[in-house]
Amino acid sequence: MFFQTIATGEPLFWQGALFTLISLALTLLAIWWIYLSPLKPLERPVQVSASPAFMTGTALLVGLSAIFRYAGSVWDISEHVLTGVVPGGEDFLWPPHLLIYTSFLLSLSVVLFTFLRISAPFRRRRIFDPRYAIRQRPFLGAIVIAALYAWLSVPGDALWHELYGVELTSWSPPHVMLILASAAETISAAVLLIQSQKPDVLPAWKKLTSLAILSLALNEVYIIATTDWEAMVVPSGAGYEIVAARPIWAFPVVAAACAIFVFQLARSLTGIRYAATLTTLAFYLFRFTGMGAISLAGGFPLRFPLMFTLGTLLWELVDWKRVPGRATRYLGPSALFSLGFYLASFPVLESLEPLFTFKTIDYAIGLGASIAVNAVMLLVEDRTSGWFKPFEFRKSSPEITPLPATGDR
């Protein structure tokens, strides 16, 4: 259907693609300008002004907005499936969408207020270029960019729905980019909480709360990764046919790859030995609470999720820091996690019959692909983990002055 639309030159398709490309281009331009563009070093260093309590409040409010956003997302899925309606025009701002966009507005307002507060020392020196302050607190800028992108994506999402209707799958370009922006914002909130104080004085409750926030990010990512299989879009519709045409082994592979990156990020951020397992428990707490509320309200809950608690437990029983060999530290956790994930998820995957039928070859391909893809995701997280450590973002740049070792850090 996608390629047929291109071939027929459907105007709505090109309008939707244009809106998506423009919003993406503006976002990439903003990322380059804020973080990568040349910036003249200051003659005298200036530090942002941010107390641990103030930054903690900012992180918690952004985390709260993620709860609203997740609630709006599952509510939106339920309404689409139950009503078979895609609101268009002014009706596109129906209650679930309003809740989602309000969550972005909340986080954007909180972060802009925070930025004005912490950048006061720069303004007193008559330095009005926001890049100097943002590069000392890069994840504040990430939240602003993600929230603004979400608002920019609204016209494109509306046009794609007008073109494909309710049967538009979660893998459409506007949906993918919107959910990635949501997850980036939520992950940034977890990082801000971890970075609110020096690591050696960071209280345990902040570490555990950051795991809960990361579990919200995983719930958001799972709207892309698994909703097409869990909700099956509209049974017997074109969306159903698109999903049914995908190789069934892709379901657990995509689900595991999205999860393992978040789990490893939780481990590297907090340093807690069983951080990944604790994050899974928080994930299911949010997931079942959301689905329970949808069921009680007479809505359409998603199917039972794939289970990865056994996989994270097997992974974390081994102290991988003592295991020699870099490749082993990627392949070993990937293999144990994938094996436990498949064993625990077997009943869930089998319950998809008669919609799907898993054959022995599907399990073999899926397990092998999961091990390979998960190892790559662990490698990616390892290569990017420096971004998430307190104030390590691009320290080598001359325009970024490291913060002093104070309670603020």
Side-chain angles (χ1 to χ4, degrees):
M1 184 172 65
F2 178 80
F3 294 106
Q4 289 178 351
T5 304
I6 297 177
T8 57
E10 173 63 51
L12 280 177
F13 170 83
W14 294 112
Q15 292 177 36
L18 181 61
F19 272 108
T20 300
L21 290 175
I22 290 175
S23 57
L24 180 59
L26 291 174
T27 302
L28 293 176
L29 180 62
I31 292 173
W32 173 84
W33 183 74
I34 291 176
Y35 298 114
L36 304 174
S37 61
L39 188 60
K40 182 181 178 180
L42 298 176
E43 294 181 1
R44 289 187 299 163
V46 181
Q47 307 297 333
V48 298
S49 174
S51 67
F54 185 75
M55 294 306 298
T56 297
T58 296
L60 293 178
L61 285 173
V62 176
L64 178 64
S65 74
I67 295 179
F68 296 152
R69 191 161 53 249
Y70 175 62
S73 298
V74 295
W75 184 15
D76 186 49
I77 293 169
S78 173
E79 289 298 300
H80 279 313
V81 173
L82 283 180
T83 65
V85 172
V86 176
E90 295 180 358
D91 292 334
F92 191 71
L93 296 178
W94 64 349
H97 286 185
L98 285 175
L99 185 57
I100 294 172
Y101 300 139
T102 299
S103 74
F104 281 112
L105 183 60
L106 171 62
S107 56
L108 179 62
S109 302
V110 168
V111 169
L112 288 178
F113 175 77
T114 298
F115 175 75
L116 290 175
R117 172 80 174 269
I118 69 173
S119 62
F122 292 87
R123 295 194 301 276
R124 285 194 293 268
R125 288 270 305 274
R126 303 190 65 79
I127 300 171
F128 300 105
D129 190 329
R131 292 175 293 175
Y132 288 104
I134 289 179
R135 291 188 187 187
Q136 289 188 23
R137 289 293 190 279
F139 287 93
L140 287 177
I143 293 172
V144 172
I145 292 172
L148 289 177
Y149 175 82
W151 282 93
L152 284 174
S153 68
V154 172
D157 190 28
L159 287 170
W160 280 80
H161 271 295
E162 284 295 308
L163 180 61
Y164 293 106
V166 72
E167 296 166 355
L168 181 63
T169 76
S170 63
W171 287 12
S172 72
H175 287 166
V176 171
M177 298 307 300
L178 183 61
I179 294 300
L180 289 180
S182 299
E185 182 179 310
T186 307
I187 289 173
S188 296
V191 177
L192 284 177
L193 188 58
I194 291 295
Q195 292 186 353
S196 63
Q197 289 178 256
K198 292 175 62 177
D200 57 347
V201 296
L202 191 69
W205 75 264
K206 286 191 176 183
K207 294 182 179 181
L208 294 175
T209 303
S210 71
L211 297 184
I213 295 174
L214 287 175
S215 74
L216 274 171
L218 182 57
N219 270 294
E220 291 175 315
V221 170
Y222 256 46
I223 293 174
I224 298 176
T226 66
T227 296
D228 281 353
W229 286 283
E230 291 172 342
M232 284 310 299
V233 196
V234 180
S236 75
Y240 176 92
E241 296 173 0
I242 293 173
V243 177
R246 298 172 185 166
I248 186 55
W249 52 260
F251 178 20
V253 172
V254 172
C258 293
I260 198 169
F261 180 89
V262 175
F263 295 152
Q264 181 59 15
L265 178 58
R267 286 166 55 86
S268 61
L269 260 183
T270 65
I272 298 175
R273 172 71 180 273
Y274 292 96
T277 302
L278 291 173
T279 304
T280 68
L281 298 178
F283 167 85
Y284 290 117
L285 176 62
F286 282 117
R287 176 66 181 266
F288 292 140
T289 300
M291 294 306 103
I294 291 292
S295 297
L296 290 175
F300 178 85
L302 298 175
R303 292 174 180 271
F304 196 84
L306 297 178
M307 302 297 291
F308 34 64
T309 309
L310 177 60
T312 56
L313 189 59
L314 291 177
W315 167 15
E316 294 185 313
L317 285 174
V318 179
D319 186 358
W320 295 100
K321 294 181 180 179
R322 299 184 178 183
V323 176
R326 181 181 296 271
T328 305
R329 289 198 293 270
Y330 296 134
L331 289 172
S334 175
L336 286 180
F337 172 76
S338 300
L339 180 60
F341 173 73
Y342 268 81
L343 288 175
S345 298
F346 182 82
V348 181
L349 295 173
E350 289 295 307
S351 71
L352 293 176
E353 293 187 351
L355 298 176
F356 297 109
T357 300
F358 272 85
K359 300 178 181 178
T360 303
I361 187 63
D362 294 318
Y363 283 108
I365 294 175
L367 181 59
S370 290
I371 293 174
V373 173
N374 291 342
V376 172
M377 297 303 291
L378 289 174
L379 175 63
V380 170
E381 196 284 331
D382 183 51
R383 291 291 185 268
T384 59
S385 60
W387 298 353
F388 305 100
K389 294 179 181 179
F391 313 118
E392 290 294 323
F393 188 86
R394 294 180 60 82
K395 271 178 57 177
S396 61
S397 297
E399 66 272 11
I400 302 176
T401 306
L403 296 181
T406 65
D408 170 34
R409 190 175 175 189

